Amino acid sequence: EVQLQASGGGLVQAGGSLRLSCATSGFRFDDYAIGWFRQAPGKEREGVSCISSSYSDGSTLYKESVKGRFTISSDDAERTVYLQMDSLKPDDTAVYYCGAQLGYYCSSLTDYDYWGQGTLVTVSS
């Protein structure tokens, strides 16, 4: 059974930091790029970041508005992907999901073959 479990969300003040974790199981981790997307109430899903698989160069993609503030990384041995979020803004408030897309490289920030339940991030002003 494919599982992607996001955790690490919470309430933080603007300017603060959070680290999200995505623990995965049930699929060949090395065959997939892993990423994060989010959805705020009343808004459409938007891609946040993606990291290519360890079989590739581990390259990363970021949504323009989070560049320089968010960092995605992967612990291949633990099959876990992290999203370090610094300098958080109220506009970052959303439910964050992690997803897996088949292929060594990230082809999209929003389209995934598998995803799990999200974790809520709330940034207060």
Side-chain angles (χ1 to χ4, degrees), residues 92-104:
D92 295 319
T93 295
V95 177
Y96 284 71
Y97 302 84
C98 59
Q101 54 184 250
L102 182 62
Y104 296 157

mmCIF file with all atom_site columns, all heavy atoms in Angstrom, residues 92-104:
data_model
loop_
_atom_site.group_PDB
_atom_site.id
_atom_site.type_symbol
_atom_site.label_atom_id
_atom_site.label_alt_id
_atom_site.label_comp_id
_atom_site.label_asym_id
_atom_site.label_entity_id
_atom_site.label_seq_id
_atom_site.pdbx_PDB_ins_code
_atom_site.Cartn_x
_atom_site.Cartn_y
_atom_site.Cartn_z
_atom_site.occupancy
_atom_site.B_iso_or_equiv
_atom_site.pdbx_formal_charge
_atom_site.auth_seq_id
_atom_site.auth_comp_id
_atom_site.auth_asym_id
_atom_site.auth_atom_id
_atom_site.pdbx_PDB_model_num
ATOM 1  N N   . ASP A 1 92  ? 1.377  31.985 3.533   1.00 0.00 ? 92  ASP A N   1
ATOM 2  C CA  . ASP A 1 92  ? 1.797  30.580 3.479   1.00 0.00 ? 92  ASP A CA  1
ATOM 3  C C   . ASP A 1 92  ? 0.817  29.663 4.210   1.00 0.00 ? 92  ASP A C   1
ATOM 4  O O   . ASP A 1 92  ? 0.968  28.441 4.169   1.00 0.00 ? 92  ASP A O   1
ATOM 5  C CB  . ASP A 1 92  ? 3.187  30.414 4.108   1.00 0.00 ? 92  ASP A CB  1
ATOM 6  C CG  . ASP A 1 92  ? 4.270  31.138 3.340   1.00 0.00 ? 92  ASP A CG  1
ATOM 7  O OD1 . ASP A 1 92  ? 4.243  31.101 2.094   1.00 0.00 ? 92  ASP A OD1 1
ATOM 8  O OD2 . ASP A 1 92  ? 5.143  31.758 3.984   1.00 0.00 ? 92  ASP A OD2 1
ATOM 9  N N   . THR A 1 93  ? -0.163 30.229 4.859   1.00 0.00 ? 93  THR A N   1
ATOM 10 C CA  . THR A 1 93  ? -1.151 29.437 5.584   1.00 0.00 ? 93  THR A CA  1
ATOM 11 C C   . THR A 1 93  ? -1.923 28.529 4.631   1.00 0.00 ? 93  THR A C   1
ATOM 12 O O   . THR A 1 93  ? -2.484 29.002 3.644   1.00 0.00 ? 93  THR A O   1
ATOM 13 C CB  . THR A 1 93  ? -2.133 30.350 6.337   1.00 0.00 ? 93  THR A CB  1
ATOM 14 O OG1 . THR A 1 93  ? -1.426 31.068 7.346   1.00 0.00 ? 93  THR A OG1 1
ATOM 15 C CG2 . THR A 1 93  ? -3.251 29.541 6.977   1.00 0.00 ? 93  THR A CG2 1
ATOM 16 N N   . ALA A 1 94  ? -1.910 27.239 4.900   1.00 0.00 ? 94  ALA A N   1
ATOM 17 C CA  . ALA A 1 94  ? -2.567 26.254 4.027   1.00 0.00 ? 94  ALA A CA  1
ATOM 18 C C   . ALA A 1 94  ? -2.391 24.869 4.630   1.00 0.00 ? 94  ALA A C   1
ATOM 19 O O   . ALA A 1 94  ? -1.607 24.689 5.564   1.00 0.00 ? 94  ALA A O   1
ATOM 20 C CB  . ALA A 1 94  ? -1.956 26.279 2.628   1.00 0.00 ? 94  ALA A CB  1
ATOM 21 N N   . VAL A 1 95  ? -3.100 23.914 4.054   1.00 0.00 ? 95  VAL A N   1
ATOM 22 C CA  . VAL A 1 95  ? -2.801 22.511 4.317   1.00 0.00 ? 95  VAL A CA  1
ATOM 23 C C   . VAL A 1 95  ? -1.736 22.095 3.316   1.00 0.00 ? 95  VAL A C   1
ATOM 24 O O   . VAL A 1 95  ? -1.901 22.308 2.108   1.00 0.00 ? 95  VAL A O   1
ATOM 25 C CB  . VAL A 1 95  ? -4.046 21.631 4.181   1.00 0.00 ? 95  VAL A CB  1
ATOM 26 C CG1 . VAL A 1 95  ? -3.681 20.164 4.393   1.00 0.00 ? 95  VAL A CG1 1
ATOM 27 C CG2 . VAL A 1 95  ? -5.115 22.063 5.184   1.00 0.00 ? 95  VAL A CG2 1
ATOM 28 N N   . TYR A 1 96  ? -0.663 21.533 3.816   1.00 0.00 ? 96  TYR A N   1
ATOM 29 C CA  . TYR A 1 96  ? 0.456  21.112 2.980   1.00 0.00 ? 96  TYR A CA  1
ATOM 30 C C   . TYR A 1 96  ? 0.413  19.599 2.792   1.00 0.00 ? 96  TYR A C   1
ATOM 31 O O   . TYR A 1 96  ? 0.285  18.848 3.757   1.00 0.00 ? 96  TYR A O   1
ATOM 32 C CB  . TYR A 1 96  ? 1.777  21.524 3.625   1.00 0.00 ? 96  TYR A CB  1
ATOM 33 C CG  . TYR A 1 96  ? 2.080  22.990 3.467   1.00 0.00 ? 96  TYR A CG  1
ATOM 34 C CD1 . TYR A 1 96  ? 1.339  23.947 4.162   1.00 0.00 ? 96  TYR A CD1 1
ATOM 35 C CD2 . TYR A 1 96  ? 3.086  23.426 2.614   1.00 0.00 ? 96  TYR A CD2 1
ATOM 36 C CE1 . TYR A 1 96  ? 1.593  25.301 4.005   1.00 0.00 ? 96  TYR A CE1 1
ATOM 37 C CE2 . TYR A 1 96  ? 3.360  24.781 2.453   1.00 0.00 ? 96  TYR A CE2 1
ATOM 38 C CZ  . TYR A 1 96  ? 2.602  25.711 3.152   1.00 0.00 ? 96  TYR A CZ  1
ATOM 39 O OH  . TYR A 1 96  ? 2.864  27.050 2.990   1.00 0.00 ? 96  TYR A OH  1
ATOM 40 N N   . TYR A 1 97  ? 0.555  19.192 1.542   1.00 0.00 ? 97  TYR A N   1
ATOM 41 C CA  . TYR A 1 97  ? 0.542  17.784 1.192   1.00 0.00 ? 97  TYR A CA  1
ATOM 42 C C   . TYR A 1 97  ? 1.858  17.416 0.523   1.00 0.00 ? 97  TYR A C   1
ATOM 43 O O   . TYR A 1 97  ? 2.465  18.242 -0.174  1.00 0.00 ? 97  TYR A O   1
ATOM 44 C CB  . TYR A 1 97  ? -0.573 17.483 0.196   1.00 0.00 ? 97  TYR A CB  1
ATOM 45 C CG  . TYR A 1 97  ? -1.964 17.839 0.657   1.00 0.00 ? 97  TYR A CG  1
ATOM 46 C CD1 . TYR A 1 97  ? -2.461 19.128 0.518   1.00 0.00 ? 97  TYR A CD1 1
ATOM 47 C CD2 . TYR A 1 97  ? -2.806 16.864 1.203   1.00 0.00 ? 97  TYR A CD2 1
ATOM 48 C CE1 . TYR A 1 97  ? -3.744 19.452 0.932   1.00 0.00 ? 97  TYR A CE1 1
ATOM 49 C CE2 . TYR A 1 97  ? -4.091 17.173 1.606   1.00 0.00 ? 97  TYR A CE2 1
ATOM 50 C CZ  . TYR A 1 97  ? -4.557 18.472 1.469   1.00 0.00 ? 97  TYR A CZ  1
ATOM 51 O OH  . TYR A 1 97  ? -5.830 18.785 1.879   1.00 0.00 ? 97  TYR A OH  1
ATOM 52 N N   . CYS A 1 98  ? 2.272  16.171 0.696   1.00 0.00 ? 98  CYS A N   1
ATOM 53 C CA  . CYS A 1 98  ? 3.400  15.690 -0.093  1.00 0.00 ? 98  CYS A CA  1
ATOM 54 C C   . CYS A 1 98  ? 2.887  14.663 -1.096  1.00 0.00 ? 98  CYS A C   1
ATOM 55 O O   . CYS A 1 98  ? 1.900  13.952 -0.836  1.00 0.00 ? 98  CYS A O   1
ATOM 56 C CB  . CYS A 1 98  ? 4.506  15.107 0.778   1.00 0.00 ? 98  CYS A CB  1
ATOM 57 S SG  . CYS A 1 98  ? 4.044  13.717 1.833   1.00 0.00 ? 98  CYS A SG  1
ATOM 58 N N   . GLY A 1 99  ? 3.556  14.619 -2.241  1.00 0.00 ? 99  GLY A N   1
ATOM 59 C CA  . GLY A 1 99  ? 3.129  13.726 -3.306  1.00 0.00 ? 99  GLY A CA  1
ATOM 60 C C   . GLY A 1 99  ? 4.321  13.103 -4.000  1.00 0.00 ? 99  GLY A C   1
ATOM 61 O O   . GLY A 1 99  ? 5.449  13.596 -3.895  1.00 0.00 ? 99  GLY A O   1
ATOM 62 N N   . ALA A 1 100 ? 4.056  12.028 -4.723  1.00 0.00 ? 100 ALA A N   1
ATOM 63 C CA  . ALA A 1 100 ? 5.085  11.326 -5.481  1.00 0.00 ? 100 ALA A CA  1
ATOM 64 C C   . ALA A 1 100 ? 4.668  11.276 -6.939  1.00 0.00 ? 100 ALA A C   1
ATOM 65 O O   . ALA A 1 100 ? 3.525  10.933 -7.258  1.00 0.00 ? 100 ALA A O   1
ATOM 66 C CB  . ALA A 1 100 ? 5.278  9.902  -4.942  1.00 0.00 ? 100 ALA A CB  1
ATOM 67 N N   . GLN A 1 101 ? 5.590  11.638 -7.822  1.00 0.00 ? 101 GLN A N   1
ATOM 68 C CA  . GLN A 1 101 ? 5.321  11.564 -9.262  1.00 0.00 ? 101 GLN A CA  1
ATOM 69 C C   . GLN A 1 101 ? 6.330  10.631 -9.904  1.00 0.00 ? 101 GLN A C   1
ATOM 70 O O   . GLN A 1 101 ? 7.538  10.737 -9.662  1.00 0.00 ? 101 GLN A O   1
ATOM 71 C CB  . GLN A 1 101 ? 5.322  12.953 -9.913  1.00 0.00 ? 101 GLN A CB  1
ATOM 72 C CG  . GLN A 1 101 ? 6.566  13.776 -9.681  1.00 0.00 ? 101 GLN A CG  1
ATOM 73 C CD  . GLN A 1 101 ? 6.452  15.172 -10.277 1.00 0.00 ? 101 GLN A CD  1
ATOM 74 O OE1 . GLN A 1 101 ? 7.115  15.490 -11.256 1.00 0.00 ? 101 GLN A OE1 1
ATOM 75 N NE2 . GLN A 1 101 ? 5.604  16.012 -9.681  1.00 0.00 ? 101 GLN A NE2 1
ATOM 76 N N   . LEU A 1 102 ? 5.851  9.704  -10.721 1.00 0.00 ? 102 LEU A N   1
ATOM 77 C CA  . LEU A 1 102 ? 6.707  8.716  -11.352 1.00 0.00 ? 102 LEU A CA  1
ATOM 78 C C   . LEU A 1 102 ? 7.669  9.404  -12.317 1.00 0.00 ? 102 LEU A C   1
ATOM 79 O O   . LEU A 1 102 ? 7.263  10.179 -13.171 1.00 0.00 ? 102 LEU A O   1
ATOM 80 C CB  . LEU A 1 102 ? 5.852  7.686  -12.102 1.00 0.00 ? 102 LEU A CB  1
ATOM 81 C CG  . LEU A 1 102 ? 6.606  6.547  -12.777 1.00 0.00 ? 102 LEU A CG  1
ATOM 82 C CD1 . LEU A 1 102 ? 7.357  5.715  -11.733 1.00 0.00 ? 102 LEU A CD1 1
ATOM 83 C CD2 . LEU A 1 102 ? 5.636  5.663  -13.561 1.00 0.00 ? 102 LEU A CD2 1
ATOM 84 N N   . GLY A 1 103 ? 8.936  9.065  -12.156 1.00 0.00 ? 103 GLY A N   1
ATOM 85 C CA  . GLY A 1 103 ? 9.967  9.674  -12.993 1.00 0.00 ? 103 GLY A CA  1
ATOM 86 C C   . GLY A 1 103 ? 11.096 10.194 -12.133 1.00 0.00 ? 103 GLY A C   1
ATOM 87 O O   . GLY A 1 103 ? 10.890 10.549 -10.971 1.00 0.00 ? 103 GLY A O   1
ATOM 88 N N   . TYR A 1 104 ? 12.292 10.204 -12.700 1.00 0.00 ? 104 TYR A N   1
ATOM 89 C CA  . TYR A 1 104 ? 13.444 10.608 -11.906 1.00 0.00 ? 104 TYR A CA  1
ATOM 90 C C   . TYR A 1 104 ? 13.473 12.113 -11.644 1.00 0.00 ? 104 TYR A C   1
ATOM 91 O O   . TYR A 1 104 ? 13.988 12.564 -10.623 1.00 0.00 ? 104 TYR A O   1
ATOM 92 C CB  . TYR A 1 104 ? 14.738 10.195 -12.603 1.00 0.00 ? 104 TYR A CB  1
ATOM 93 C CG  . TYR A 1 104 ? 14.914 8.706  -12.741 1.00 0.00 ? 104 TYR A CG  1
ATOM 94 C CD1 . TYR A 1 104 ? 15.743 8.177  -13.727 1.00 0.00 ? 104 TYR A CD1 1
ATOM 95 C CD2 . TYR A 1 104 ? 14.249 7.821  -11.915 1.00 0.00 ? 104 TYR A CD2 1
ATOM 96 C CE1 . TYR A 1 104 ? 15.907 6.814  -13.859 1.00 0.00 ? 104 TYR A CE1 1
ATOM 97 C CE2 . TYR A 1 104 ? 14.395 6.458  -12.040 1.00 0.00 ? 104 TYR A CE2 1
ATOM 98 C CZ  . TYR A 1 104 ? 15.239 5.957  -13.021 1.00 0.00 ? 104 TYR A CZ  1
ATOM 99 O OH  . TYR A 1 104 ? 15.395 4.606  -13.157 1.00 0.00 ? 104 TYR A OH  1
#
